[in-house]
Amino acid sequence: MSESTELRVPLPDLTAWTCPAPLRDQPRVVMGHGGGGAMSAELVQHIFAPAFGGQTLSQLGDSAAVSLGGVRLAFSTDSFVVRPLFFPGGSIGDLAVNGTVNDLAMSGARAAYLSCGFILEEGVEVSVVGRVAEALGSAARVAGVEVATGDTKVVEAGHGDGIFINTSGIGLIPAGVDLRPERVVPGDVLIVSGDIGVHGVAIMSVREGLEFGVEIESDCAALGGLVEAMLAVTSDLHVLRDPTRGGLAAALNEIAAASGTGVVIQERSVPVPPAVANACAILGLDPMYVANEGKLVAFVPREHADAVLSAMRAHPLGAAATVIGEAVEAHPGMVVARTGLGGTRVVDLPIGEQLPRIC
Amino acid sequence: MSESTELRVPLPDLTAWTCPAPLRDQPRVVMGHGGGGAMSAELVQHIFAPAFGGQTLSQLGDSAAVSLGGVRLAFSTDSFVVRPLFFPGGSIGDLAVNGTVNDLAMSGARAAYLSCGFILEEGVEVSVVGRVAEALGSAARVAGVEVATGDTKVVEAGHGDGIFINTSGIGLIPAGVDLRPERVVPGDVLIVSGDIGVHGVAIMSVREGLEFGVEIESDCAALGGLVEAMLAVTSDLHVLRDPTRGGLAAALNEIAAASGTGVVIQERSVPVPPAVANACAILGLDPMYVANEGKLVAFVPREHADAVLSAMRAHPLGAAATVIGEAVEAHPGMVVARTGLGGTRVVDLPIGEQLPRIC
């Protein structure tokens, strides 16, 4: 048992680990660390990125662009812990497919293969696992991606929560496509593909037993085809992002910070369906911070903006696409909304998450 | 919110799902469904494979061989739920790297990129997350793999168990390498790379508070380099498998079933260290069914067996490699052990898992 120690990993000194300063006030993990906002970013920047030490991880995008055998691939992972497992318009099964397919699409890649890791809680009904698997398989067929490999673990009752799913995915990045927030420049036009806030409000409506008069269905969908239609206009899109956890506000703040440009949005142009607006008003939420799962934002060079917008509107998942703002030289790294009354307000990066476990 | 329904996934009919016959006696998930034995295989064969419908998943190997952009890749995923998080010789962090690196190595691929998805339980100490991340990063550096992309989710206290980690990995499969159980033919020599049963007993010793007189450290290690050394002798190895959950017995049964050949092992040749044998005797376990995490079994064409064995012994992780049996025409699909007394016994596929959550 001792012949191979030189290739074994030395155990880290368990007593010597020092908490990085920005995390010291919070010695235990709280829900906000999983919210996709500032607290999530702190974990990545101060714990994961230094420990893992890779070049790629530090890009912090939805997916990584990597090279293998001379081929450029997008590679992405997401764990899904949504509660409840079934909600209006979807389930953890199709969410697990669309979440990862969309992360790959934000690199310009059409998802080719998915992996699928289930962590089941002892006692969950086999029929629930079966229905989730069927939803996952259906979503994979709609998205045109193959589930190539999988894994199942079971944890004792009370040590999990029904079903958690991790999916990872790989896909080819087409030649000439280079989608990164660093490519955003002042003058770029900001387009959103449709109504925002829908997925988060749909989850909230069932979780909290709230009735908003009208049933709101999640917008959960796979965006690979829409992105292909946009790239058919020009490979020179600058950045795409799907505004999931933390909503439009988190996505735009990440892009502003990474690109060093300012972002201005026209608040009245942001498409918020009345049912979402009403629900947010009742609950005291800002739709800008509510999660989406079938929408994207794009920063597009001004000369291509009209053509890209037309291509989006010709696609069923982009029929309501609209321009909501632009990248500017002023206030670098900041997102500012022009309100309907002619004023402005800063749209901050959320700290944690107003609604945990929406994906 | 309704413009895009044709690209949305129809919700499966939640009332219509019918449990496949072999699973009907067990309407709820039990620990054994995650044990890597017959119950795990039932879930895959009767629920996941039909629902996902892919060609690749039905191969059921440690990793999938897929083609992308003209390049042949191995793609694999594993979730890690080991308890406790730190154990003699390792932690969930290095286990999460080595488990996936080894699954890729069993396809002949050197792992290039890993994804890493954390599911944290609210309340876990940030310092524990930090130490696990350091162990994960160290293991990745030792294995020569880059952590390229990640994700973090947090679930409420009591709905998780400290830290779960999913890693997925991709790597190039070298030209001419085609490792599949279907390639095993009677006459192939069965080699194991070293002592068996070590990881499982190491976990058990700390979990159950048992003392065996001598501390047993997990054999957790990355096998990419050892596999490269073996493939340098000949690309014509037939199959490799790392005997993790379900131990040597599960790995050999899967190979026998998929290849349709019989497997005979000489029980006295199987290297079981005295400390493992003693622990198993005390606990009433069979070392053949105990998990390993830094060992492999290989079926090698007879004409290459001596050279492959020499190459393995020249590598630190294969120094104790030894021949333990062969593939035979008799009893197709079955694994039979010749006992020290000249008798034989059937080595069955385990049903569940004698020790849950060892990886």
Side-chain angles (χ1 to χ4, degrees), chain A residues 8 56 146 156 218 357, chain B residues 8 56 123 146 156 218 357:
Chain A
R8 302 263 300 284
T56 325
E146 185 185 343
E156 300 86 350
S218 167
R357 296 183 60 184
Chain B
R8 302 262 301 285
T56 325
E146 185 185 343
E156 300 87 349
S218 166
R357 296 182 61 183

Side-chain angles (χ1 to χ4, degrees), chain A:
Chain A
M1 277 174 289
S2 59
E3 74 274 12
S4 57
T5 43
E6 70 243 58
L7 289 183
R8 302 263 300 284
V9 177
L11 261 186
D13 181 348
L14 301 189
T15 58
W17 194 86
T18 310
C19 195
L23 290 161
R24 270 182 216 158
D25 296 341
Q26 187 57 267
R28 290 180 182 272
V29 168
V30 297
M31 296 306 290
H33 283 118
M39 295 184 77
S40 294
E42 269 188 5
L43 273 191
V44 174
Q45 284 168 0
H46 297 291
I47 293 191
F48 294 135
F52 302 163
Q55 286 286 307
T56 325
L57 187 72
S58 58
Q59 296 171 7
L60 283 178
D62 289 321
S63 65
V66 301
S67 279
L68 204 49
V71 166
R72 221 157 54 102
L73 300 176
F75 182 29
S76 182
T77 194
D78 246 325
S79 298
F80 296 86
V81 299
V82 65
R83 212 165 40 83
L85 298 174
F86 297 88
F87 47 81
S91 75
I92 191 173
D94 32 304
L95 203 58
V97 169
N98 294 336
T100 292
V101 164
N102 291 349
D103 284 346
L104 295 173
M106 299 308 112
S107 291
R110 188 79 183 232
Y113 298 102
L114 287 187
S115 67
C116 177
F118 280 79
I119 299 176
L120 305 177
E121 184 189 10
E122 182 189 22
V124 65
E125 286 107 328
V126 171
S127 63
V128 170
V129 178
R131 287 175 209 153
V132 166
E134 280 194 359
L136 198 155
S138 299
R141 281 184 287 278
V142 169
V145 63
E146 185 185 343
V147 180
T149 185
D151 175 59
T152 308
K153 295 293 191 306
V154 180
V155 296
E156 300 86 350
H159 294 270
D161 200 0
I163 301 177
F164 299 147
I165 302 177
N166 176 284
T167 53
S168 302
I170 50 176
L172 284 180
I173 302 176
V177 172
D178 181 23
L179 299 168
R180 286 180 291 122
E182 293 80 5
R183 294 196 61 220
V184 173
V185 291
D188 281 0
V189 174
L190 169 57
I191 300 174
V192 64
S193 65
D195 291 337
I196 69 153
V198 181
H199 175 70
V201 168
I203 297 287
M204 196 159 353
S205 67
V206 282
R207 187 173 323 151
E208 312 300 340
L210 301 172
E211 300 271 345
F212 303 121
V214 51
E215 180 168 282
I216 298 170
E217 289 202 348
S218 167
D219 57 351
C220 183
L223 298 170
L226 175 63
V227 171
E228 271 190 348
M230 296 167 71
L231 287 171
V233 174
T234 174
S235 60
D236 192 31
L237 306 176
H238 284 168
V239 72
L240 301 177
R241 200 55 70 97
D242 60 333
T244 55
R245 285 180 293 177
L248 198 60
L252 295 181
N253 269 282
E254 283 170 30
I255 292 170
S259 66
T261 67
V263 173
V264 170
I265 56 177
Q266 305 296 333
E267 202 163 50
R268 282 195 173 166
S269 306
V270 178
V272 182
V276 169
N278 290 343
C280 285
I282 292 169
L283 296 163
L285 301 177
D286 183 338
M288 297 280 289
Y289 292 88
V290 176
N292 313 276
E293 196 48 79
K295 298 293 155 42
L296 62 82
V297 292
F299 282 85
V300 180
R302 188 161 293 271
E303 64 269 29
H304 299 302
D306 286 344
V308 169
L309 192 60
S310 295
M312 294 176 76
R313 288 180 174 164
H315 190 279
L317 292 176
T322 188
V323 172
I324 60 167
E326 62 184 329
V328 297
E329 279 188 45
H331 51 80
M334 272 177 65
V335 181
V336 166
R338 293 207 201 291
T339 65
L341 301 170
T344 60
R345 64 170 178 125
V346 173
V347 179
D348 272 331
L349 181 65
I351 304 297
E353 166 62 53
Q354 22 184 32
L355 181 69
R357 296 183 60 184
I358 44 74
C359 63

